[in-house]
Structure formats: structure tokens, C-alpha cells
Amino acid sequence: MSTKPNIGLIIGSNRPTRVCRTVAEWAMKEMEHEALNLSLIDLAEINLPFLDEPEIPAHHNYEKEHTKAWSELISGYDGFVLIFPQYNWGYPAVLKNALDFLYDEWRGKPVSIMCYGGHGGFQATLSMKLVTQGLHMYNMATNPPLDISDEMFDASGQFKNIEKDFARYKTSLQAVSNEFADLLTK
């Protein structure tokens, strides 16, 4: 009996008032699949410093304990979903930093990019695809762009009703799970 592939949904924002964790929790619920183990990786909880290893990650000669722990965590996953907001047509620095800490740990692993923002964060998705290609990850075909608008949020900046607002994306998230299952369980 084979084990189910582990898919990490990386919460790519650490802003104190972020909605990224809410989006990731919603995505994980919608992506449930009998052939996959899904879990959240919250970069705010991981709390990596800005890249502080003296050698380049490709040498895999880590000196810092936080890098060794990050490497061990990421090595335990078979694929990833990067969930993040678009910031000024780009991706959050905390996400890029987390990716930059490692190299071989990302290589060959499938990745789906799920960016949210006005117009679905398409500019940040394009930029992130270049980063994941540079890390030699397998960019999956399904990368749901999540459109947000001011009307979706309450006075404290949180979603009023994410289930209603993102209902149209459920099929896309199920497609992401199916793509992971097809790639990793054959």
C-alpha cells in the first residue's frame, strides 16, 4: 500500500491583517481529495529571517538551524500550492525569501500558483512562474486566479463571506487536486 502524496499549501503573506490564511484554509477545504494529504505551511509561523546563509542554496551546505529545519519541512512534501496576494503587480517578499532559502528541495516538484488580487493577481502569477521555473519546479496547468474586490470585505478588512465570494472557483480548486493526484499517484 503506497502512502498518499503530501501537498503543502504555502501561505505566502505575513502581514498582520492578512486574509491569506483565510484564503488558504478555504482552498484546502475545497481541494480535499481522497488520494492526497493536504496541509498548510504558514510563513508567518515559520518566520524565516531574510536569507542569511553564507553559501548559495544549490550547494546545500546549510549552516543555520532555521534553514536546516526549513529544508527538512519542505523535503517532506511532494508538491505545493503557493497562495499569496498580489503586491504592486508582484509577490510578497516573505514568499520569495522562503523560496530562495532552498534549491534542490523544490526541484521537480509540481506547483500550482493561486494568487488573489484585482484581476486575479495575474501579473504576480506571471512573475512567480518565472521564479518557480528557475527553481526547476513543475508548473502545473491549473493556477486559479482569485479576483477580489472591496465589496467582499468588512470594516476590519476580513472577508464577509468567502464561501459566496469564491464559489465560482470551487471547480478550479478541484481541478488542482485532480492534477496533483494524476501526477503523483501513478
Side-chain angles (χ1 to χ4, degrees):
M1 181 174 161
S2 64
T3 60
K4 295 179 185 180
N6 292 314
I7 307 301
L9 285 76
I10 298 179
I11 302 170
S13 171
N14 64 344
R15 181 178 279 173
T17 58
R18 67 189 175 157
V19 296
C20 197
R21 184 165 185 106
T22 303
V23 174
E25 289 169 349
W26 171 82
M28 190 166 82
K29 182 175 67 78
E30 296 303 325
M31 288 178 61
E32 285 182 6
H33 193 289
E34 63 189 20
L36 303 172
N37 288 321
L38 305 174
S39 60
L40 299 177
I41 302 170
D42 191 339
L43 294 181
E45 293 172 5
I46 302 294
N47 198 25
L48 290 168
F50 277 108
L51 186 55
D52 61 351
E53 286 288 340
E55 291 194 40
I56 63 171
H59 292 162
H60 204 84
N61 188 20
Y62 305 136
E63 292 183 10
K64 310 288 184 175
E65 289 305 315
H66 53 261
T67 309
K68 292 174 185 176
W70 181 234
S71 172
E72 184 177 340
L73 176 69
I74 293 305
S75 294
Y77 286 91
D78 303 296
F80 301 95
V81 179
L82 305 180
I83 301 172
F84 60 95
Q86 177 170 280
Y87 288 170
N88 302 314
W89 288 15
Y91 38 76
V94 68
L95 178 57
K96 180 68 164 69
N97 184 59
L99 292 168
D100 286 346
F101 257 93
L102 308 174
Y103 186 72
D104 289 329
E105 295 85 345
W106 305 115
R107 180 183 289 277
K109 293 184 180 176
V111 61
S112 178
I113 298 169
M114 191 179 305
C115 185
Y116 58 91
H119 310 291
F122 76 95
Q123 293 287 358
T125 298
L126 290 173
S127 298
M128 184 52 71
K129 280 186 179 183
L130 294 174
V131 172
T132 56
Q133 286 172 351
L135 291 168
H136 303 285
M137 297 178 84
Y138 172 77
N139 280 301
M140 293 178 29
T142 309
N143 301 284
L146 307 175
D147 286 319
I148 60 171
S149 64
D150 291 341
E151 296 77 31
M152 294 179 178
F153 300 97
D154 62 21
S156 65
Q158 300 301 306
F159 281 100
K160 294 177 192 173
N161 186 344
I162 195 169
E163 293 291 332
K164 177 181 149 285
D165 293 336
F166 282 179
R168 67 186 179 272
Y169 301 116
K170 288 183 178 191
T171 302
S172 294
L173 269 65
Q174 292 162 359
V176 171
S177 290
N178 290 334
E179 191 173 349
F180 273 122
D182 288 346
L183 284 168
L184 298 171
T185 61
K186 293 190 178 202

